[in-house]
Amino acid sequence: EVIHANTFPHFTQSVIIEYDEEVAWTHLKISIRDCRALRSIIGGQRRRSRDDGEEEQQRIGRKPFFGLGGIHNNNTDDNNDNSNYCSENDPIMGEVDVEVGELLKSDNGKEQKFELSTGGTLFVFITESIQGTDRGVLDCQIRGLDVKNIESGLLGLGAVDPYFVISKKENDTKKGTTCYYDVYRSEHVHDIINPFWKPFRIDLERLCNNDVHKQLKITVWDQQDRGQDRWLGEKDTTVAEMMRHVAKRGNADRESALRVEARSEKGDKIDLRALLVILKADVISANRKMMANEGSVVICSGRFDTVGVMIENDESSR
């Protein structure tokens, strides 16, 4: 996964590995690299998108694009592979050695902090990847309706470039904390309040630890070319709820849509920021590769001061 022009990225890509408690050594090396190849591509797409009309924007919304400062998604095998953009010649920004067994037995909780000799901090989250009995791949597509533009802009005519992020809830009993970890990020669509985001597929093990009732959160953001992206609002949900709310009256079914809201600081006011129309949310039967992951471990990289990540084991396979 590559995140462009962002010094505090939250990676959505998780790594699933087989872990055996009886094996004393399960070692990983995590290398953070600066991916150079995407810079000119992203710049060109951004310039073109500013001149396109609404029809072209809708077309872009159905093709690979870049959000959150420019992101190429790589959440599942069915999404776009960005490996062609990465190279062994990309400069290494830092490396850490991770011993899976030590992290699982640590009293410091599920999320561990690693300082890099070159500067920056990498947070690695690790947990059992299977916590339920629901297996398969979620085949999903979401449309936004009435995305609220909170950007004033010149003469009050600002633009909204919306995208959404799906995160899953994790309770860290050792630390007594609750966190959400990003598992999927859509592309952003330029200057539109009713975006069609492209369909995506993600296996339930990565999305919800094979539990369709596990707490998820869908957050809608407004992508910014400079500075931090704007948070618009969020909706707590589950895979089961998304399946129940699939649109029944076409792609503008407001009655079945999920409400994305923002609360005031005091919590006494709720502002509707967007509606999410679930165009489809089907669970496809698991394949052999997914069925083989029982007993494995998910490692999710969280926050870091970098633009790319590469993970290797001792045999240097990637």
Side-chain angles (χ1 to χ4, degrees):
E1 179 182 7
V2 179
I3 299 182
H4 175 75
N6 191 319
T7 57
F8 298 95
H10 286 232
F11 296 105
T12 63
Q13 179 76 321
S14 59
V15 178
I16 298 178
I17 65 172
E18 298 292 333
Y19 174 71
D20 188 346
E21 292 184 355
E22 298 180 357
V23 177
W25 188 251
T26 307
H27 183 77
L28 299 176
K29 177 187 289 184
I30 302 178
S31 301
I32 309 299
R33 294 177 179 260
D34 184 2
C35 182
R36 301 294 179 86
L38 286 178
R39 295 181 180 179
S40 60
I41 298 174
I42 293 171
Q45 288 197 3
R46 283 177 174 169
R47 287 190 296 272
R48 289 194 300 271
S49 69
R50 294 300 184 267
D51 299 328
D52 291 330
E54 183 171 347
E55 180 178 351
E56 179 68 1
Q57 293 161 14
Q58 293 283 6
R59 184 186 69 81
I60 292 175
R62 293 177 173 84
K63 289 193 174 184
F65 202 60
F66 301 91
L68 192 61
I71 290 175
H72 194 100
N73 289 306
N74 189 23
N75 294 282
T76 69
D77 292 340
D78 289 337
N79 288 337
N80 303 287
D81 182 12
N82 62 10
S83 60
N84 290 334
Y85 297 109
C86 300
S87 168
E88 291 287 351
N89 296 323
D90 289 336
I92 295 178
M93 303 178 67
E95 293 182 324
V96 296
D97 293 318
V98 177
E99 171 50 46
V100 175
E102 291 181 359
L103 289 184
L104 288 174
K105 297 175 182 178
S106 172
D107 294 330
N108 295 326
K110 296 179 179 179
E111 185 179 77
Q112 300 292 311
K113 178 179 178 180
F114 296 90
E115 301 291 344
L116 299 177
S117 58
T118 54
T121 303
L122 176 67
F123 292 83
V124 177
F125 177 82
I126 183 170
T127 186
E128 294 180 2
S129 64
I130 296 180
Q131 301 171 6
T133 58
D134 305 304
R135 299 189 177 190
V137 175
L138 178 67
D139 183 15
C140 187
Q141 185 176 14
I142 299 176
R143 182 196 184 184
L145 285 179
D146 307 328
V147 178
K148 188 170 184 178
N149 183 8
I150 62 174
E151 178 183 359
S152 59
L154 183 63
L155 302 178
L157 300 176
V160 60
D161 306 327
Y163 67 93
F164 68 88
V165 176
I166 301 178
S167 309
K168 64 180 175 182
K169 184 178 181 180
E170 294 288 355
N171 297 314
D172 195 329
T173 56
K174 293 182 179 180
K175 288 185 176 180
T177 59
T178 297
C179 296
Y180 281 86
Y181 290 90
D182 298 345
V183 292
Y184 179 81
R185 184 184 292 108
S186 77
E187 78 284 6
H188 83 265
V189 186
H190 174 65
D191 193 12
I192 191 168
I193 62 172
N194 298 317
F196 279 90
W197 290 294
K198 68 177 180 177
F200 64 95
R201 290 184 177 184
I202 181 170
D203 65 79
L204 295 183
E205 186 173 356
R206 298 180 187 274
L207 176 62
C208 59
N209 302 118
N210 285 4
D211 180 2
V212 296
H213 299 288
K214 185 179 181 67
Q215 192 71 42
L216 304 176
K217 180 185 294 183
I218 304 178
T219 307
V220 178
W221 295 82
D222 179 11
Q223 189 269 341
Q224 302 295 301
D225 285 341
R226 296 180 178 86
Q228 295 184 349
D229 293 348
R230 288 187 174 89
W231 178 89
L232 297 180
E234 59 191 27
K235 166 63 179 175
D236 291 330
T237 187
T238 64
V239 172
E241 182 181 45
M242 293 171 66
M243 295 173 67
R244 291 195 302 270
H245 281 259
V246 171
K248 302 177 178 62
R249 301 178 180 179
N251 60 26
D253 186 356
R254 287 174 167 80
E255 183 176 336
S256 299
L258 302 179
R259 294 172 59 90
V260 175
E261 298 174 336
R263 291 182 177 270
S264 64
E265 293 184 2
K266 295 182 179 180
D268 56 344
K269 296 182 180 180
I270 298 178
D271 185 17
L272 178 62
R273 294 294 179 84
L275 295 174
L276 297 180
V277 181
I278 310 299
L279 299 180
K280 63 177 178 178
D282 302 317
V283 174
I284 303 172
S285 299
N287 56 34
R288 292 183 179 181
K289 180 178 180 181
M290 294 176 58
M291 296 287 284
N293 283 330
E294 185 171 3
S296 59
V297 172
V298 171
I299 299 179
C300 299
S301 55
R303 305 178 298 281
F304 182 66
D305 183 10
T306 186
V307 292
V309 64
M310 180 182 295
I311 299 180
E312 303 177 347
N313 63 15
D314 286 339
E315 287 73 34
S316 297
S317 61
R318 291 183 303 179

